[in-house]
């Protein structure tokens, strides 16, 4: 009887210590979330829809015990604030995109991918296996983005690149038949096709690039990496992250 009681007390004490250790290590992180909207990743401030970034961070922090404060500022300013330590986390990025940053940061394990695809009007779809398949076409691309395989073709005019400021503009001009194709983020395209009822008008073609997405921590917050990685592994294994993305597809 005494042995059993001692065991129960030890187990209870261990659980209590684990709980308080979990709470004491919890932090509030300032997370980069740009102004405007880029569905399904994030929406305008005040919009009741949360988006994949906030949904994923809600799931992660439920596992880690941490909390987040979203800092909404323009993209370039957000990157500067990260470098000065006024933002702790960039929620979705890859080291290849931040090579020029003065603060490289520390990266979590990958939890999804960013995929660029070729978007067509339904009646104009063709299979694209190489840039040669788009010779003579006018392709909409995002200004400031770099497309390694296609840049030589853009440079000499074999493929005409119409460089635009937003994905919304790509879709508008594609529907208006002012573009032959558009290079666009797949998640964004899927969300627009679903919500704007473009199923009979637009079709997603082949990928132009696939880049793993990770969480970038400011070096002062790198101690949080192990618990975030543990949470990400769990959410990937139990399908939680896939279910979050599927809500918007």
């Amino acid at each position: 009887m005494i042995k059993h009681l001692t065991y129960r007390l030890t187990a209870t004490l261990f659980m209590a210590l684990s709980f308080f250790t979990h709470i004491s290590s919890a932090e509030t992180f300032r997370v980069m979330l740009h102004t405007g909207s880029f569905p399904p990743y994030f929406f305008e401030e005040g919009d009741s829809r949360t988006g994949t970034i906030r949904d994923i961070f809600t799931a992660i922090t439920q596992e880690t015990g941490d909390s987040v404060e979203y800092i909404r500022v323009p993209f370039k300013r957000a990157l500067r604030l990260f470098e000065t330590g006024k933002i702790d986390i960039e929620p979705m990025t890859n080291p290849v995109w931040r090579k020029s940053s003065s603060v490289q940061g520390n990266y979590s394990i990958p939890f999804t991918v960013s995929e660029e695809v070729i978007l067509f009007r339904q009646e104009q779809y063709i299979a694209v296996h190489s840039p040669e398949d788009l010779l003579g076409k006018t392709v909409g691309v995002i200004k400031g983005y770099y497309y390694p395989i296609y840049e030589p073709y853009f440079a000499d005019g074999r493929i005409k690149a119409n460089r635009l400021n937003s994905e919304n503009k790509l879709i508008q001009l594609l529907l208006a038949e002012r573009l032959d194709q558009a290079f666009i983020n797949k998640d964004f395209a899927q969300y627009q096709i679903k919500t704007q009822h473009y199923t009979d008008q637009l079709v997603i073609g082949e990928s132009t690039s696939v880049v793993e997405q990770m969480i970038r921590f400011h070096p002062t917050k790198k101690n949080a990496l192990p618990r975030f990685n543990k949470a990400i592994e769990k959410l990937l294994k139990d399908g939680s992250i896939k279910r979050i993305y599927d809500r918007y597809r």
Side-chain angles (χ1 to χ4, degrees):
M1 180 69 176
I2 293 175
K3 184 178 179 180
H4 181 66
L5 180 60
T6 301
Y7 173 80
R8 289 184 61 186
L9 287 171
T10 301
T12 302
L13 180 61
F14 177 78
M15 290 175 63
L17 286 172
S18 297
F19 173 77
F20 285 115
T21 299
H22 182 71
I23 294 299
S24 65
S25 66
E27 298 179 69
T28 297
F29 295 97
R30 296 164 296 185
V31 176
M32 187 187 299
L33 197 64
H34 314 306
T35 53
S37 65
F38 188 54
Y41 300 129
F42 59 92
F43 295 87
E44 293 275 1
E45 192 167 7
D47 195 311
S48 60
R49 294 168 294 182
T50 50
T52 55
I53 288 176
R54 293 182 67 170
D55 291 350
I56 287 169
F57 271 79
T58 294
I60 289 173
T61 54
Q62 284 175 350
E63 297 294 328
T64 65
D66 297 299
S67 58
V68 298
E69 173 191 357
Y70 293 103
I71 308 297
R72 300 194 70 126
V73 292
F75 176 65
K76 289 184 179 179
R77 185 181 171 202
L79 294 180
R80 289 196 298 271
L81 290 176
F82 180 90
E83 291 177 346
T84 59
K86 294 177 181 177
I87 283 179
D88 304 314
I89 284 176
E90 184 178 6
M92 291 180 65
T93 190
N94 186 286
V96 300
W97 294 349
R98 299 293 174 257
K99 287 180 180 179
S100 62
S101 177
S102 62
V103 178
Q104 288 296 297
N106 301 88
Y107 289 83
S108 73
I109 61 172
F111 62 92
T112 188
V113 298
S114 175
E115 184 174 2
E116 292 283 320
V117 295
I118 306 174
L119 189 65
F120 298 83
R121 291 188 303 281
Q122 189 81 251
E123 71 279 6
Q124 295 294 322
Y125 171 77
I126 58 170
V128 177
H129 303 294
S130 77
E132 301 290 324
D133 295 317
L134 297 180
L135 294 180
K137 303 293 186 182
T138 299
V139 178
V141 298
I142 295 296
K143 188 180 294 185
Y145 284 20
Y146 185 73
Y147 305 86
I149 296 174
Y150 287 89
E151 291 298 337
Y153 292 82
F154 296 159
D156 63 18
R158 284 176 289 171
I159 301 173
K160 182 180 177 182
N162 191 338
R163 298 187 186 272
L164 301 163
N165 289 322
S166 74
E167 284 78 1
N168 280 321
K169 199 68 177 176
L170 289 178
I171 289 179
Q172 290 172 12
L173 294 188
L174 187 61
L175 289 171
E177 301 184 15
R178 292 172 58 187
L179 299 172
D180 296 310
Q181 294 86 23
F183 290 0
I184 195 167
N185 177 275
K186 184 177 182 180
D187 290 323
F188 180 89
Q190 286 181 319
Y191 186 78
Q192 295 303 316
I193 288 169
K194 176 183 176 180
T195 59
Q196 302 302 319
H197 309 293
Y198 291 147
T199 306
D200 296 330
Q201 296 172 269
L202 299 175
V203 60
I204 292 172
E206 287 75 21
S207 295
T208 61
S209 71
V210 179
V211 180
E212 290 184 323
Q213 296 296 279
M214 312 165 196
I215 300 171
R216 181 167 71 136
F217 289 80
H218 192 272
T220 59
K221 302 296 182 181
K222 65 181 180 180
N223 288 342
L225 267 173
R227 65 178 183 270
F228 269 71
N229 283 338
K230 183 178 178 181
I232 291 169
E233 286 176 342
K234 178 182 181 298
L235 296 172
L236 287 171
K237 186 175 181 179
D238 68 19
S240 296
I241 289 178
K242 181 179 184 301
R243 286 193 293 274
I244 287 170
Y245 277 93
D246 286 347
R247 292 174 200 161
Y248 299 92
R249 290 171 175 161

